[in-house]
């Protein structure tokens, strides 16, 4: 791993991964390829922007020739592919962009990598790797009591987001099987932590609660997700890059399954304790049950035995500690929050998704 292209590196997990990689791999060169959609922000990478090991390129993963040029220019040996449209609610209101970015974008990257690594034989094939970052949502939804998903569970995606990710996973697998492209893949549960765009549940609830705005809980709030601190996710991806078996996929999860309402109430309790502004205490009075998401998946649960037994990975953060750190991060980064809130895409989304709920 010398020259690593990170796609979507200005987004939530990608930016955390770049911070992580620069910390744990002193000799690495990182090329961050990001289109800077509404979800990407260079604010997330301010503190590494002067690092000589880091370069940013603004561009679209769907442009195969452009990506091919970058692979040659930087002699890229490793691609860590995060770039995607990532929000389920947006995929329900506008699925086309998800098909384009998640399916066509992944296809475009795979094809550029195949040309550069396998056809032009630019680098020894044993030194190259395409790592695809995917989600647990490809497996569908579990009823209470059903066993957790393993790497062998058949895909059954329910939302346009999940279907587009499932499709991209299949394309990656097919490039490995058909062309011998060396890949690894990880399917991870819901992440939370610093730099998450406040359209996803945890940062949305934190920021609304700080402002004394209503806390929208979809349906009965009894849907269950598995939650993982983003640093644990980054650590797992790094481990898979170092020690994972080529052609393998690994499930990643936080080994906890609280109901959404419990997450929201926990954030309220943390803010009651740590917020300097007591005017909205108790914050749980702001909770409001709103119209449910269409096709809302009920329960997710990941079986993570493979990554723990083969690679020795375990999450380091507990959910309680991770949530406390995350609330404190949002409280102590008002400039980041203000910059995001000023984006028209943020304000527009809050109106589009919540006004009629
Ligand atoms: P995000 O929405 O915060 O960031 C996505 C990034 O991709 C943004 O910086 C955006 O500008 C960039 N991007 C979008 N389209 C692009 C294009 N055409 N070309 C180049 N860049 C483009 O997403 P995230 O939450 O950081 O998720 C990253 C990856 O991890 C995604 O593939 C997602 O499916 C997967 N994942 C996310 C979670 C989660 O809980 N957030 C969990 C499991 C897996
Ligand atoms: P989200 O963060 O959008 O992640 P995902 O849909 O990928 O799991 O949502 C997490 C859960 O929280 C999901 O069950 C939907 C629910 N949710 C709410 O109840 N209210 C909200 O305002 C949002 C954004 C999500």
């Amino acid at each position: 791993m010398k020259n690593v292209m990170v796609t979507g590196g200005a987004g939530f997990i990608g930016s955390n991964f770049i911070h992580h990689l620069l910390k744990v791999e002193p000799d690495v060169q990182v090329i961050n390829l990001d289109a800077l959609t509404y979800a990407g922000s260079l604010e997330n990478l301010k503190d590494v922007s002067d690092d000589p090991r880091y370069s940013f390129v603004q561009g679209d993963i769907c442009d195969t020739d452009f990506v091919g040029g970058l692979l040659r220019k930087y002699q890229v040996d490793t691609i860590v592919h995060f770039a995607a449209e990532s929000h389920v609610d947006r995929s329900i209101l506008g699925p086309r962009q998800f098909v384009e970015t998640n399916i066509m974008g992944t296809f475009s990257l795979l094809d550029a990598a195949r040309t550069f690594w396998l056809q032009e034989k630019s680098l020894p094939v044993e030194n190259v790797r395409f790592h695809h970052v995917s989600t647990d949502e490809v497996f569908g939804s579990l009823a209470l009591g059903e066993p957790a998903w393993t790497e062998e569970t058949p895909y059954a995606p329910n939302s346009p987001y999940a279907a587009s990710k499932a499709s991209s996973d299949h394309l990656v697998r097919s490039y490995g099987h058909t062309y011998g492209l060396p890949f690894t893949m990880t399917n991870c549960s819901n992440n939370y932590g610093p730099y998450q765009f406040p359209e996803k549940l945890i940062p949305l609830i934190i920021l609304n609660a700080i402002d004394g705005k209503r806390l929208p809980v979809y349906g009965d709030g009894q849907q269950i997700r598995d939650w993982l601190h983003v640093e644990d996710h980054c650590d797992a991806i790094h481990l898979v890059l170092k020690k994972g078996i080529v052609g393998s996929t690994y499930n990643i999860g936080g080994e906890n399954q609280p109901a959404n309402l419990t997450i929201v109430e926990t954030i309220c309790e943390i803010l009651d304790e740590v917020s300097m502004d007591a005017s909205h205490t108790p914050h749980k009075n702001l909770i409001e049950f709103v119209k449910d998401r269409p096709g809302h998946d009920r329960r997710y649960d990941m079986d993570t035995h493979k990554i723990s037994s083969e690679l020795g990975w375990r999450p380091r953060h507990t959910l309680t500690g991770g949530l406390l750190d995350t609330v404190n991060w949002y409280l102590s980064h008002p400039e980041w929050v203000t910059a995001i809130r000023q984006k028209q895409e943020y304000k527009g989304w809050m109106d589009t998704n919540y006004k009629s709920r």
Side-chain angles (χ1 to χ4, degrees):
M1 194 187 339
K2 277 194 196 143
N3 301 321
V4 181
M5 176 185 279
V6 176
T7 72
F12 163 48
I13 310 175
S15 60
N16 276 283
F17 182 73
I18 290 174
H19 283 107
H20 183 84
L21 200 60
L22 290 172
K23 210 183 300 163
V24 297
E25 292 284 345
D27 299 322
V28 84
Q29 288 292 324
V30 175
I31 304 97
N32 173 12
L33 170 61
D34 198 297
L36 296 184
T37 68
Y38 81 92
S41 171
L42 294 181
E43 293 284 316
N44 300 355
L45 294 150
K46 252 184 172 167
D47 45 342
V48 298
S49 60
D50 293 333
D51 190 318
R53 300 171 299 153
Y54 169 77
S55 315
F56 171 69
V57 180
Q58 183 165 4
D60 188 341
I61 54 165
C62 296
D63 185 342
T64 317
D65 290 342
F66 179 69
V67 174
L70 291 179
L71 297 180
R72 280 177 210 100
K73 176 174 173 191
Y74 291 100
Q75 292 292 296
V76 170
D77 53 62
T78 305
I79 297 174
V80 188
H81 177 33
F82 293 95
E85 290 293 334
S86 69
H87 188 29
V88 173
D89 291 318
R90 284 185 194 257
S91 85
I92 293 168
L93 292 177
R96 180 174 295 276
Q97 194 58 48
F98 285 71
V99 171
E100 296 198 341
T101 303
N102 299 359
I103 305 179
M104 293 308 292
T106 302
F107 161 70
S108 159
L109 268 184
L110 285 165
D111 224 45
R114 174 167 81 98
T115 304
F116 179 56
W117 290 338
L118 303 181
Q119 293 179 333
E120 296 170 12
K121 299 192 191 313
S122 51
L123 300 165
V125 75
E126 61 278 11
N127 291 356
V128 304
R129 179 77 67 86
F130 188 101
H131 183 78
H132 182 59
V133 180
S134 192
T135 165
D136 57 356
E137 302 195 26
V138 298
F139 296 118
S141 182
L142 290 165
L144 279 178
E146 269 191 278
W149 295 310
T150 72
E151 288 78 0
E152 309 307 320
T153 304
Y155 280 20
N158 286 326
S159 69
Y161 164 66
S164 66
K165 290 298 289 186
S167 179
S168 68
D169 293 7
H170 292 320
L171 281 169
V172 172
R173 185 176 182 279
S174 78
Y175 267 63
H177 187 83
T178 305
Y179 304 114
L181 190 88
F183 79 90
T184 40
M185 177 148 56
T186 42
N187 292 79
C188 186
S189 59
N190 285 52
N191 283 213
Y192 66 95
Y195 304 114
Q196 187 166 29
F197 192 85
E199 63 183 359
K200 305 278 170 66
L201 180 71
I202 288 179
L204 179 113
I205 295 297
I206 296 173
L207 295 190
N208 278 15
I210 291 171
D211 282 354
K213 291 188 182 148
R214 68 176 184 148
L215 309 179
V217 173
Y218 294 170
D220 62 2
Q222 292 308 309
Q223 303 81 8
I224 289 174
R225 300 289 181 264
D226 179 281
W227 296 94
L228 185 72
H229 193 282
V230 65
E231 281 168 11
D232 284 325
H233 187 189
C234 295
D235 189 38
I237 293 172
H238 180 241
L239 196 61
V240 170
L241 284 171
K242 297 289 267 194
K243 294 196 190 157
I245 295 167
V246 170
S248 294
T249 76
Y250 296 88
N251 282 356
I252 308 174
E255 293 165 21
N256 56 62
Q257 290 86 39
N260 289 343
L261 185 59
T262 309
I263 288 279
V264 174
E265 287 171 345
T266 308
I267 292 169
C268 290
E269 282 159 22
I270 294 173
L271 274 169
D272 290 348
E273 287 286 316
V274 302
S275 175
M276 305 297 276
D277 171 7
S279 52
H280 310 303
T281 302
H283 291 84
K284 70 169 193 233
N285 288 350
L286 300 167
I287 292 174
E288 201 175 306
F289 292 92
V290 299
K291 194 167 146 213
D292 207 353
R293 173 187 279 175
H296 200 170
D297 286 339
R298 197 67 184 165
R299 175 173 163 253
Y300 300 158
D301 190 4
M302 291 294 258
D303 182 326
T304 57
H305 280 99
K306 182 176 175 187
I307 192 165
S308 63
S309 62
E310 271 187 27
L311 308 184
W313 178 84
R314 281 240 146 65
R316 288 187 201 151
H317 293 266
T318 60
L319 185 57
T320 323
L323 281 177
L324 176 62
D325 290 352
T326 304
V327 170
N328 279 324
W329 188 87
Y330 281 91
L331 281 171
S332 59
H333 288 76
E335 286 160 27
W336 186 91
V337 170
T338 305
I340 296 280
R341 278 200 175 130
Q342 277 166 354
K343 285 188 171 186
Q344 194 41 49
E345 293 100 330
Y346 171 73
K347 295 183 200 153
W349 173 251
M350 297 310 277
D351 285 350
T352 309
N353 195 42
Y354 293 100
K355 274 226 164 118
S356 58
R357 273 206 145 94

